[in-house]
Amino acid sequence: MHEHEHHHDEGTHLWQIALSAILLISGLILNGLHIGWFQSHWVQLAWYVAAFLPVGINVIHEAVEEAGHGDVFSEFMLMGIASIGAFCIGEYPEAVAVMLLYCIGEMLQERAADKARDSIKSLIALRPDMARVKVTDSQGNTHWVEKSPEEVKTGDFIEIKAGERVPLDGILCTEETTFNTAALTGESIPRTIAKGEEVLAGMIPDGSIVRLQVSRPASESAISRVLKMVEDAVERKAPTELFIHRFAHVYTPIVIALAALVVLVPWIWSLFHPAFEFHFSQWLHSALVLLVISCPCALVISVPLTYFGGIGAASRRGILFKGGNGLDAITTIDTVVFDKTGTLTTGQFAVTHVEGLSEDDLHKVVAIEKTSNHPIAKAIISEMYRRGVSAFPPAKSPSIQHSTSIQGYGISAEIDKEKWLVGTLRLLDREQISYPSQLKDIPETIVACAKDGKYIGHILLSDTLKDEARLAVGNLKDMGMRTEILSGDKQALVDKVGNELQVDEAHGDLLPQGKVEHIQRLKTQGRKVAFIGDGINDAPVLALSDVGLAMGALGADMAIETADVVIQTDQPSKVAEAIGIGQRTRRIVKQNISLAIGIKVAVMILGILGLANLWEAVFADTGVALLAVLNSLRILSR
């Protein structure tokens, strides 16, 4: 809430709370022991004013500041009037206690909020935080210096080594290069980017050093946007928070009016009925009791704190909720829809099958692939080494006479005077080499091999499931969720993954618009939909869903920005965990609202009947707030 944001910024330090508490407790002890010098009215007033100022000055200042902005009936004004009024009728300790307990509650909220921020920032620290920038010294010599992305200006030149993630968007200055773009496009097949074309932050160059001219500042990068999400988290209020904010601003003037009537009505009555004795201090005391009982700080403190606690608890588990609204919305979900590549799968190639190639052939294929930096080549080499197939058997070590990479097709090479072709089926078509027609129907990525003009076999590769993909879907099914997959990959591949994970439906061959239309259909059926994705192409669906969750470790900036929730660890099992945290947070919010309103109404009735004094009022207000705060902190304990 805005009031809390301002007050939180000014803050009440621990030393102020400690000083106030020491003075209050000392004053109560001195009074209880009937120490002579302390029995003076003026000494007690000075003592308790000194106890009040460290904790009360910020709240009074906040009330004045809010009134200056037109918000006269804030909860701060209500507390300020009550505490000053308590001084006026000689109830000094109660006046100090109201503010002291309130500030303790505020401090606990601040600690919880800082804890949430720190844990989220520690996760964000895993993202790229360095760029190698070209600089020219006074002698005109150029060299590369490491800088934080924030220091890099638009137009600067940066260098990225093979396997590193690009830290900033830029234009490619080096020759045509293959990039792993799974995080951005959602597809596992690498993309070749030509000189002069744009490279986006999050892409990973394969096999060579690349240089870019930066086209956007770091302020538009993932890091700054995600950090801003953290700072703005409490701004994105959940519906419950908005309700309480509206409630407090209608409730406060009503309470102040009622308190005024408690004094005015008996006074007016005494004017017409002289037999009725009107004692101003007695009725003012009753009015102040009503004001303190009615003060809504238990709700004002505990509800935002509970959402902050939920955000903090989730962030420690690698789940970033951007605000309380995401925590609330995720509790209503009944359908969970996954993107495939990079979400349920690793987005990396792995060999799944070898057909028609002898061990000797495989030795030669490995030797040929070692001349390439392509991800498919690396996947084949890695799998063959795992199987114990090195480049050549020890007894036979011929050399490659020549090797030529044909961009977009594969490799042409000569070994032992044998002419080899290793690549796509289009490479064999181009060289007019026949092969079994059924190969065209295989959904996986195929590396076809031909020797001396004849097809001899092939290697199949496909994206592999993440280790915990089955656990992720299983946990959601246990919670009663419907599960689906939407992907731009071939339908046959999507069906295969869907069958392995036993999801309810799996749809492939979808462009971004197709995904949007499918989510719209689900919503028109009355379903509450969560979508989990990681690429730029997922951004429209993330925005359309009731709750959008983005994979944050390698996810596209646009997907992360659009989503309501960011899973920093890229683990799909975190979806069920996020739903569980949302449900737990909502339960605690409801408990706190019931606790605050229930006790407040009970003590208010006692106050009207004259059975509650100012100390019961203090408990009904800030005491209940403390109980609610402690209840809220339970969510951080797990």
Side-chain angles (χ1 to χ4, degrees):
M1 299 188 178
H2 297 300
E3 293 88 342
H4 272 282
E5 285 154 21
H6 294 155
H7 184 55
H8 176 80
D9 289 342
E10 293 175 15
T12 303
H13 299 292
L14 182 59
W15 70 265
Q16 292 172 289
I17 291 172
L19 176 61
S20 179
I22 290 167
L23 288 171
L24 173 62
I25 294 167
S26 302
L28 291 171
I29 292 171
L30 290 169
N31 193 48
L33 294 174
H34 301 289
I35 302 299
W37 61 269
F38 194 74
Q39 300 310 304
S40 164
H41 168 77
W42 295 108
V43 169
Q44 287 197 17
L45 177 62
W47 186 280
Y48 286 113
V49 166
F52 175 83
L53 287 176
V55 289
I57 196 70
N58 281 338
V59 178
I60 301 294
H61 178 263
E62 189 66 34
V64 173
E65 193 172 89
E66 290 299 315
H69 292 133
D71 190 4
V72 177
F73 296 112
S74 67
E75 52 269 36
F76 298 105
M77 183 66 75
L78 181 58
M79 291 177 65
I81 292 170
S83 58
I84 291 170
F87 270 110
C88 292
I89 59 172
E91 298 286 356
Y92 308 146
E94 292 90 332
V96 177
V98 168
M99 288 300 183
L100 177 62
L101 289 173
Y102 173 78
C103 290
I104 290 172
E106 276 284 274
M107 185 184 68
L108 289 173
Q109 177 185 3
E110 186 176 344
R111 293 287 171 88
D114 289 343
K115 196 171 183 180
R117 286 193 188 94
D118 291 343
S119 54
I120 294 168
K121 285 180 181 178
S122 68
L123 290 167
I124 294 167
L126 299 175
R127 301 179 67 80
D129 58 357
M130 182 275 295
R132 274 184 298 280
V133 188
K134 182 180 179 181
V135 296
T136 305
D137 59 25
S138 54
Q139 281 76 41
N141 301 317
T142 61
H143 48 280
W144 298 90
V145 176
E146 290 189 355
K147 294 184 179 181
S148 70
E150 289 75 18
E151 296 177 86
V152 182
K153 299 181 179 65
T154 303
D156 284 353
F157 291 90
I158 60 172
E159 179 181 79
I160 304 96
K161 293 179 181 177
E164 292 181 344
R165 194 148 10 108
V166 176
L168 296 155
D169 295 352
I171 304 300
L172 184 63
C173 301
T174 44
E175 293 305 312
E176 185 174 83
T177 308
T178 302
F179 286 84
N180 177 342
T181 66
L184 304 175
T185 64
E187 301 306 323
S188 48
I189 298 171
R191 174 181 161 194
T192 301
I193 296 179
K195 185 176 181 178
E197 292 182 343
E198 187 174 42
V199 176
L200 298 175
M203 292 183 175
I204 301 172
D206 292 317
S208 61
I209 292 175
V210 297
R211 290 175 183 172
L212 310 177
Q213 185 172 20
V214 176
S215 57
R216 292 187 188 89
S219 59
E220 296 173 23
S221 71
I223 300 169
S224 57
R225 284 204 296 268
V226 175
L227 280 172
K228 191 173 187 306
M229 290 173 202
V230 179
E231 297 306 321
D232 293 346
V234 86
E235 296 266 1
R236 296 172 60 115
K237 298 179 182 71
T240 319
E241 287 183 87
L242 290 169
F243 160 74
I244 286 170
H245 189 57
R246 291 195 301 268
F247 169 79
H249 283 73
V250 172
Y251 174 79
T252 300
I254 291 173
V255 167
I256 291 174
L258 283 173
L261 288 173
V262 166
V263 178
L264 288 172
V265 169
W267 175 65
I268 293 169
W269 182 261
S270 70
L271 295 178
F272 294 98
H273 297 81
F276 177 77
E277 290 188 31
F278 174 72
H279 298 287
F280 176 74
S281 61
Q282 176 190 337
W283 290 105
L284 179 61
H285 186 276
S286 297
L288 292 170
V289 169
L290 180 65
L291 281 175
V292 179
I293 292 172
S294 306
C295 196
C297 69
L299 297 180
V300 171
I301 294 172
S302 67
V303 173
L305 174 59
T306 306
Y307 284 106
F308 245 134
I311 291 168
S315 71
R316 288 192 307 186
R317 291 160 176 76
I319 304 162
L320 168 58
F321 280 94
K322 296 182 186 177
N325 54 353
L327 274 169
D328 251 8
I330 206 165
T331 62
T332 66
I333 296 303
D334 57 28
T335 303
V336 178
V337 181
F338 290 93
D339 172 49
K340 182 182 76 69
T341 308
T343 303
L344 291 171
T345 66
T346 61
Q348 298 174 344
F349 286 108
V351 174
T352 56
H353 182 67
V354 177
E355 181 73 38
L357 299 172
S358 66
E359 186 170 341
D360 186 59
D361 291 335
L362 287 174
H363 286 301
K364 292 177 180 177
V365 169
V366 171
I368 293 166
E369 295 287 18
K370 286 180 83 173
T371 66
S372 170
N373 287 317
H374 198 281
I376 290 177
K378 291 178 180 177
I380 290 173
I381 294 165
S382 174
E383 176 62 19
M384 293 306 115
Y385 269 66
R386 193 185 68 77
R387 295 185 184 190
V389 178
S390 57
F392 290 104
K396 183 180 180 185
S397 55
S399 60
I400 298 177
Q401 274 75 48
H402 74 81
S403 174
T404 305
S405 177
I406 306 167
Q407 194 69 46
Y409 290 90
I411 301 172
S412 168
E414 188 174 328
I415 300 178
D416 278 346
K417 298 181 181 177
E418 295 171 346
K419 292 185 177 178
W420 279 78
L421 293 172
V422 178
T424 63
L425 293 176
R426 289 189 300 134
L427 176 60
L428 269 58
D429 290 335
R430 172 176 148 162
E431 300 298 323
Q432 298 183 335
I433 295 172
S434 61
Y435 52 86
S437 59
Q438 61 265 33
L439 294 187
K440 289 187 175 179
D441 299 325
I442 293 174
E444 290 91 350
T445 299
I446 185 168
V447 175
C449 302
K451 181 170 65 176
D452 292 333
K454 291 184 180 179
Y455 163 80
I456 60 167
H458 62 264
I459 299 171
L460 295 183
L461 301 96
S462 67
D463 198 359
T464 53
L465 279 176
K466 288 183 178 177
D467 293 338
E468 54 167 45
R470 288 181 182 82
L471 175 68
V473 174
N475 287 347
L476 290 167
K477 283 184 170 291
D478 290 343
M479 298 173 83
M481 302 287 167
R482 176 181 177 80
T483 55
E484 296 188 10
I485 297 174
L486 300 182
S487 177
D489 263 355
K490 299 174 187 174
Q491 183 65 52
L493 277 177
V494 179
D495 284 339
K496 183 180 174 185
V497 172
N499 291 334
E500 284 187 54
L501 298 179
Q502 298 182 320
V503 297
D504 295 297
E505 286 185 26
H507 302 273
D509 296 317
L510 292 174
L511 295 172
Q513 182 58 34
K515 291 183 179 182
V516 167
E517 289 168 0
H518 185 84
I519 297 296
Q520 283 173 331
R521 277 197 297 276
L522 288 173
K523 292 184 75 172
T524 55
Q525 293 167 12
R527 293 195 168 274
K528 295 291 185 180
V529 184
F531 181 83
I532 303 93
D534 69 328
I536 284 175
N537 61 329
D538 294 325
V541 203
L542 289 166
L544 177 65
S545 304
D546 294 292
V547 179
L549 298 97
M551 293 294 175
L554 281 171
D557 290 352
M558 192 179 294
I560 291 168
E561 184 178 31
T562 308
D564 303 294
V565 187
V566 180
I567 298 174
Q568 291 289 125
T569 60
D570 277 3
Q571 296 170 275
S573 64
K574 296 290 184 183
V575 177
E577 202 171 339
I579 294 171
I581 290 170
Q583 291 171 342
R584 182 171 163 78
T585 302
R586 179 175 252 192
R587 278 199 303 274
I588 291 177
V589 166
K590 287 182 175 178
Q591 288 167 7
N592 284 347
I593 291 173
S594 302
L595 177 74
I597 292 177
I599 293 179
K600 198 171 288 292
V601 168
V603 179
M604 202 178 288
I605 292 169
L606 292 174
I608 291 169
L609 296 173
L611 300 175
N613 63 25
L614 209 56
W615 278 106
E616 277 91 356
V618 168
F619 172 74
D621 179 47
T622 45
V624 173
L626 274 175
L627 291 176
V629 164
L630 293 172
N631 189 39
S632 300
L633 291 175
R634 286 192 304 122
I635 199 164
L636 283 170
S637 66
R638 287 184 57 180

